[in-house]
Coordinates of all heavy atoms in Angstrom, one line a residue:
I61 N 82.3 51.0 -19.1 CA 80.9 51.3 -19.3 C 80.1 51.1 -18.1 O 80.1 50.0 -17.4 CB 80.3 50.4 -20.5 CG1 81.1 50.6 -21.8 CG2 78.8 50.6 -20.7 CD1 81.0 52.0 -22.4
D62 N 79.3 52.1 -17.7 CA 78.5 52.0 -16.5 C 77.0 51.9 -16.7 O 76.2 51.4 -15.9 CB 78.7 53.3 -15.6 CG 79.9 53.2 -14.8 OD1 80.3 52.1 -14.3 OD2 80.5 54.3 -14.5
L63 N 76.5 52.3 -17.9 CA 75.1 52.3 -18.2 C 74.9 51.8 -19.6 O 75.7 52.1 -20.5 CB 74.5 53.7 -18.1 CG 74.8 54.5 -16.8 CD1 74.5 55.9 -17.0 CD2 74.0 53.9 -15.7
W64 N 73.8 51.1 -19.8 CA 73.4 50.7 -21.2 C 72.0 51.2 -21.4 O 71.1 51.0 -20.6 CB 73.4 49.1 -21.3 CG 74.7 48.6 -21.3 CD1 75.6 48.4 -22.3 CD2 75.4 48.1 -20.1 NE1 76.8 47.8 -21.8 CE2 76.7 47.6 -20.5 CE3 75.0 48.0 -18.7 CZ2 77.6 47.1 -19.6 CZ3 75.9 47.4 -17.8 CH2 77.2 47.0 -18.3
R65 N 71.8 51.9 -22.5 CA 70.5 52.6 -22.7 C 70.0 52.1 -24.1 O 70.7 51.9 -25.0 CB 70.8 54.1 -22.8 CG 69.5 54.9 -23.0 CD 70.0 56.4 -23.0 NE 68.9 57.3 -23.3 CZ 69.0 58.6 -23.4 NH1 70.2 59.1 -23.2 NH2 68.0 59.3 -23.8
N66 N 68.6 51.9 -24.1 CA 68.1 51.5 -25.4 C 68.3 52.7 -26.4 O 68.4 53.8 -26.0 CB 66.6 51.2 -25.3 CG 65.7 52.3 -24.9 OD1 66.1 53.1 -24.0 ND2 64.6 52.5 -25.5
R67 N 68.2 52.3 -27.6 CA 68.5 53.3 -28.7 C 67.4 53.3 -29.8 O 67.2 52.2 -30.3 CB 69.9 53.0 -29.3 CG 70.4 54.1 -30.1 CD 71.8 53.8 -30.4 NE 72.3 54.7 -31.4 CZ 73.4 54.7 -32.0 NH1 74.3 53.7 -31.7 NH2 73.7 55.6 -32.9
R68 N 66.9 54.4 -30.0 CA 65.9 54.4 -31.1 C 66.6 54.9 -32.4 O 67.2 56.0 -32.4 CB 64.8 55.4 -30.7 CG 64.0 54.9 -29.6 CD 63.1 55.9 -29.0 NE 62.8 55.6 -27.6 CZ 61.6 55.7 -27.1 NH1 60.7 56.3 -27.7 NH2 61.4 55.3 -25.8
I69 N 66.4 54.1 -33.4 CA 67.1 54.5 -34.6 C 66.2 54.4 -35.8 O 65.2 53.7 -35.7 CB 68.3 53.6 -34.9 CG1 67.9 52.1 -34.9 CG2 69.4 53.8 -33.9 CD1 69.0 51.1 -35.2
G70 N 66.5 55.1 -36.9 CA 65.7 55.0 -38.1 C 66.3 53.8 -38.9 O 67.0 52.9 -38.4
A71 N 66.0 53.9 -40.2 CA 66.5 52.9 -41.1 C 68.0 52.9 -41.2 O 68.6 54.0 -41.1 CB 65.9 53.1 -42.5
P72 N 68.6 51.8 -41.2 CA 70.1 51.8 -41.3 C 70.6 52.4 -42.6 O 69.9 52.2 -43.6 CB 70.5 50.3 -41.2 CG 69.2 49.6 -41.7 CD 68.1 50.5 -41.3
P73 N 71.8 53.1 -42.5 CA 72.3 53.6 -43.7 C 72.7 52.5 -44.7 O 72.7 52.7 -45.9 CB 73.5 54.4 -43.3 CG 73.9 53.8 -41.9 CD 72.6 53.3 -41.4
R74 N 73.0 51.4 -44.2 CA 73.4 50.2 -45.0 C 73.2 49.0 -44.1 O 73.3 49.1 -42.9 CB 74.8 50.3 -45.5 CG 75.8 50.3 -44.4 CD 77.2 50.2 -44.9 NE 78.2 50.3 -43.9 CZ 78.4 49.4 -42.9 NH1 77.8 48.3 -42.8 NH2 79.3 49.7 -42.0
R75 N 73.1 47.9 -44.7 CA 73.0 46.6 -43.9 C 74.4 46.0 -44.0 O 75.0 45.9 -45.1 CB 72.0 45.7 -44.4 CG 70.6 46.3 -44.1 CD 69.7 45.3 -43.7 NE 68.4 46.0 -43.3 CZ 67.3 45.4 -43.1 NH1 67.2 44.2 -43.2 NH2 66.3 46.1 -42.8
G76 N 74.9 45.5 -42.9 CA 76.1 44.8 -42.9 C 76.3 44.0 -41.6 O 75.5 44.1 -40.7
P77 N 77.4 43.3 -41.5 CA 77.6 42.4 -40.3 C 77.9 43.2 -39.1 O 77.8 42.6 -38.0 CB 78.7 41.5 -40.7 CG 79.5 42.3 -41.8 CD 78.4 43.1 -42.5
Y78 N 78.2 44.5 -39.2 CA 78.6 45.2 -38.0 C 77.8 46.5 -37.7 O 78.2 47.4 -37.1 CB 80.1 45.6 -38.1 CG 81.0 44.4 -38.2 CD1 81.6 44.2 -39.4 CD2 81.1 43.5 -37.2 CE1 82.4 43.0 -39.6 CE2 81.9 42.4 -37.4 CZ 82.5 42.1 -38.6 OH 83.3 41.0 -38.7
Y79 N 76.5 46.5 -38.3 CA 75.7 47.7 -38.1 C 75.2 47.8 -36.6 O 75.3 48.8 -36.0 CB 74.5 47.6 -39.0 CG 73.6 48.8 -38.8 CD1 74.0 50.1 -39.0 CD2 72.3 48.5 -38.3 CE1 73.1 51.1 -38.8 CE2 71.4 49.6 -38.1 CZ 71.8 50.9 -38.3 OH 71.0 51.9 -38.1
L80 N 74.7 46.7 -36.1 CA 74.3 46.7 -34.7 C 74.9 45.6 -33.9 O 75.2 44.5 -34.5 CB 72.7 46.6 -34.6 CG 71.9 47.8 -35.2 CD1 70.5 47.4 -35.2 CD2 72.2 49.0 -34.4
T81 N 75.0 45.8 -32.6 CA 75.5 44.7 -31.8 C 74.5 44.5 -30.7 O 73.9 45.5 -30.2 CB 76.9 45.1 -31.1 OG1 77.8 45.3 -32.2 CG2 77.4 44.0 -30.2
A82 N 74.2 43.3 -30.3 CA 73.2 43.1 -29.3 C 73.8 42.1 -28.2 O 74.7 41.4 -28.5 CB 72.0 42.4 -29.9
V83 N 73.2 42.3 -27.0 CA 73.6 41.4 -25.9 C 72.3 40.8 -25.4 O 71.3 41.5 -25.3 CB 74.3 42.2 -24.8 CG1 74.6 41.3 -23.6 CG2 75.5 42.8 -25.3
A84 N 72.3 39.6 -25.1 CA 71.1 38.9 -24.7 C 71.4 37.9 -23.6 O 72.5 37.4 -23.5 CB 70.3 38.3 -25.8
R85 N 70.4 37.5 -22.9 CA 70.5 36.4 -21.9 C 69.5 35.4 -22.3 O 68.3 35.6 -22.6 CB 70.2 37.0 -20.5 CG 70.3 36.0 -19.4 CD 70.2 36.7 -18.1 NE 70.3 35.8 -17.0 CZ 70.2 36.1 -15.8 NH1 69.9 37.3 -15.4 NH2 70.3 35.2 -14.9
L86 N 69.9 34.1 -22.3 CA 69.0 33.0 -22.6 C 67.9 32.9 -21.6 O 68.1 33.0 -20.4 CB 69.8 31.7 -22.7 CG 70.7 31.5 -23.9 CD1 71.4 30.2 -23.7 CD2 70.0 31.5 -25.2
A87 N 66.7 32.6 -22.1 CA 65.6 32.3 -21.2 C 65.9 31.0 -20.5 O 66.7 30.2 -21.0 CB 64.3 32.1 -22.0
S88 N 65.3 30.8 -19.3 CA 65.6 29.6 -18.5 C 65.4 28.3 -19.3 O 66.0 27.3 -19.0 CB 64.9 29.6 -17.2 OG 63.5 29.6 -17.5
D89 N 64.4 28.3 -20.2 CA 64.1 27.0 -20.9 C 64.8 27.0 -22.3 O 64.5 26.0 -23.0 CB 62.6 26.9 -21.1 CG 62.0 28.0 -21.9 OD1 62.6 29.1 -22.0 OD2 60.9 27.8 -22.3
A90 N 65.7 27.9 -22.6 CA 66.4 27.9 -23.9 C 67.7 27.3 -23.8 O 68.3 27.2 -22.7 CB 66.5 29.4 -24.4
T91 N 68.2 26.8 -25.0 CA 69.5 26.3 -25.1 C 70.3 27.1 -26.1 O 69.7 27.8 -26.9 CB 69.5 24.8 -25.6 OG1 69.0 24.8 -26.9 CG2 68.6 23.9 -24.7
P92 N 71.6 27.1 -26.0 CA 72.4 27.8 -27.1 C 72.0 27.4 -28.5 O 71.9 28.2 -29.4 CB 73.8 27.4 -26.7 CG 73.8 27.2 -25.3 CD 72.5 26.5 -25.0
A93 N 71.7 26.1 -28.7 CA 71.3 25.6 -30.0 C 70.0 26.2 -30.4 O 69.8 26.6 -31.6 CB 71.3 24.1 -30.0
S94 N 69.0 26.3 -29.5 CA 67.7 26.8 -29.9 C 67.8 28.3 -30.2 O 67.2 28.9 -31.1 CB 66.7 26.6 -28.9 OG 66.9 27.3 -27.6
A95 N 68.7 29.0 -29.4 CA 68.9 30.5 -29.7 C 69.6 30.7 -31.0 O 69.2 31.6 -31.8 CB 69.8 31.1 -28.5
R96 N 70.5 29.8 -31.3 CA 71.2 29.9 -32.6 C 70.2 29.7 -33.8 O 70.2 30.4 -34.8 CB 72.4 28.9 -32.7 CG 73.3 29.1 -33.9 CD 74.6 28.2 -33.8 NE 75.3 28.4 -32.5 CZ 75.3 27.6 -31.5 NH1 74.7 26.5 -31.6 NH2 76.0 27.9 -30.4
T97 N 69.4 28.7 -33.6 CA 68.3 28.5 -34.7 C 67.4 29.7 -34.8 O 67.1 30.1 -36.0 CB 67.5 27.2 -34.3 OG1 68.4 26.1 -34.2 CG2 66.4 27.0 -35.3

Side-chain angles (χ1 to χ4, degrees):
I61 301 295
D62 279 329
L63 308 166
W64 294 272
R65 181 177 173 185
N66 67 316
R67 192 169 170 187
R68 296 167 200 220
I69 56 175
R74 63 173 175 70
R75 292 218 175 169
Y78 302 108
Y79 175 64
L80 294 175
T81 302
V83 177
R85 184 174 178 180
L86 287 177
S88 60
D89 61 342
T91 65
S94 67
R96 191 172 304 106
T97 298

